[in-house]
Amino acid sequence: MSELQNEVSELERKSATAARLFDIRRIIGGLFVVYGIIVTIAGISPSDADLKKAEDININLWTGLAMLALGLFFLGWLWLRPTVPPAEVPESE
């Protein structure tokens, strides 16, 4: 019986680790940070044609910075409020 309890607790530990690893805030935050960096780099030195198309607003720079801020918000939220593993249910005998 003890071996079965050890297996169950090991599976619960792995499940909690997988839940933290695949938390949606981590995925969304990471993607927004990566895309935000790419778009910000594209907006650092815009061409005159790009500025003319956007009515003299550097849309890539502002959108990239906004995406970067949103991604950092999600990652900060994950850091400040991490996923808590579910409480163990007492075994009824």
Side-chain angles (χ1 to χ4, degrees):
M1 188 69 161
S2 176
E3 187 175 319
L4 180 61
Q5 287 176 343
N6 288 340
E7 276 187 51
V8 169
S9 62
E10 178 68 22
L11 286 173
E12 286 175 347
R13 185 185 61 77
K14 286 181 180 179
S15 176
T17 302
R20 281 192 300 274
L21 182 64
F22 293 110
D23 188 353
I24 193 74
R25 295 174 293 178
R26 181 184 314 261
I27 295 168
I28 291 173
L31 285 174
F32 267 100
V33 165
V34 169
Y35 292 146
I37 290 171
I38 292 170
V39 175
T40 301
I41 289 172
I44 287 176
S45 58
S47 67
D48 290 335
D50 288 340
L51 288 175
K52 186 176 179 183
K53 276 194 270 186
E55 296 180 7
D56 291 328
I57 298 172
N58 193 346
I59 200 91
N60 283 340
L61 181 64
W62 289 111
T63 304
L65 290 175
M67 291 173 74
L68 194 56
L70 183 65
L72 291 174
F73 167 76
F74 272 96
L75 293 178
W77 179 21
L78 178 68
W79 182 69
L80 292 173
R81 305 274 298 196
T83 307
V84 259
E88 291 186 31
V89 179
E91 200 174 297
S92 60
E93 296 185 55

